[in-house]
Amino acid sequence: MGAHEIVITADEVPGREDLVTLYDAVGWSRYTTDPEVLEAAVRGSTRVVVARYGEDLLGLARVVSDGATIAYLQDVLVRPELQREGVGRALVHAAMEPFAHCRQKVLLTDDDPAQRAFYESLGWVEVREHGDGRLRAFVQIT
């Protein structure tokens, strides 16, 4: 499958079955235990970008934003067999493009070295390494 055959669009929100299949494929089972909540989360996003090969959903990125000052890059998923082929990079660029003017772009992700390398290659910086290191991030996850 060549990259030129993959189509990236921002004009659809995948259905529940496609979402569960994709999230399961990358091992994000915490999302798929309640497909209704997963679908509501994706539908409630400010921007959803998908990668498809024909009818097959290969990847997805979504952003939650106020459209003015902050854009939160929420999920970036690419089927494992297509990772490291440029699909994730294309999804992130397409998802974030309308928010280039936002001062804050935020992402919360795993501490996997591959994740770090991927996001750093896109210009993202860990919060503790930003500027003089005085920026802090706080989170509550239940």
Side-chain angles (χ1 to χ4, degrees):
M1 175 179 328
H4 66 281
E5 300 166 327
I6 296 172
V7 177
I8 299 194
T9 62
D11 59 359
E12 74 161 303
V13 174
R16 186 178 300 177
E17 186 176 319
D18 271 350
L19 290 172
V20 168
T21 299
L22 178 61
Y23 279 69
D24 274 340
V26 298
W28 291 12
S29 58
R30 186 87 188 247
Y31 283 86
T32 61
T33 57
D34 192 340
E36 186 175 316
V37 170
L38 171 60
E39 184 178 30
V42 174
R43 289 195 181 286
S45 299
T46 308
R47 183 168 173 86
V48 178
V49 177
V50 300
R52 286 197 180 269
Y53 179 76
E55 296 295 314
D56 297 330
L57 182 61
L58 306 178
L60 175 144
R62 67 186 183 104
V63 176
V64 178
S65 177
D66 64 11
T69 63
I70 189 165
Y72 187 94
L73 180 59
Q74 174 53 30
D75 296 342
V76 179
L77 304 90
V78 176
R79 293 190 60 82
E81 65 270 19
L82 290 171
Q83 291 175 6
R84 304 192 63 82
E85 299 290 330
V87 177
R89 176 176 294 277
L91 285 167
V92 171
H93 284 301
M96 295 301 292
E97 188 275 329
F99 309 102
H101 65 281
C102 290
R103 182 175 158 264
Q104 296 178 54
K105 296 165 190 79
V106 180
L107 162 71
L108 181 66
T109 192
D110 299 334
D111 67 349
D112 181 311
Q115 292 280 350
R116 179 181 178 132
F118 173 70
Y119 290 109
E120 284 181 344
S121 78
L122 294 170
W124 294 76
V125 178
E126 276 200 65
V127 71
R128 67 177 170 243
E129 296 173 4
H130 183 271
D132 62 7
R134 295 177 49 162
L135 187 61
R136 298 291 175 253
F138 299 90
V139 63
Q140 281 187 342
I141 299 177
T142 58

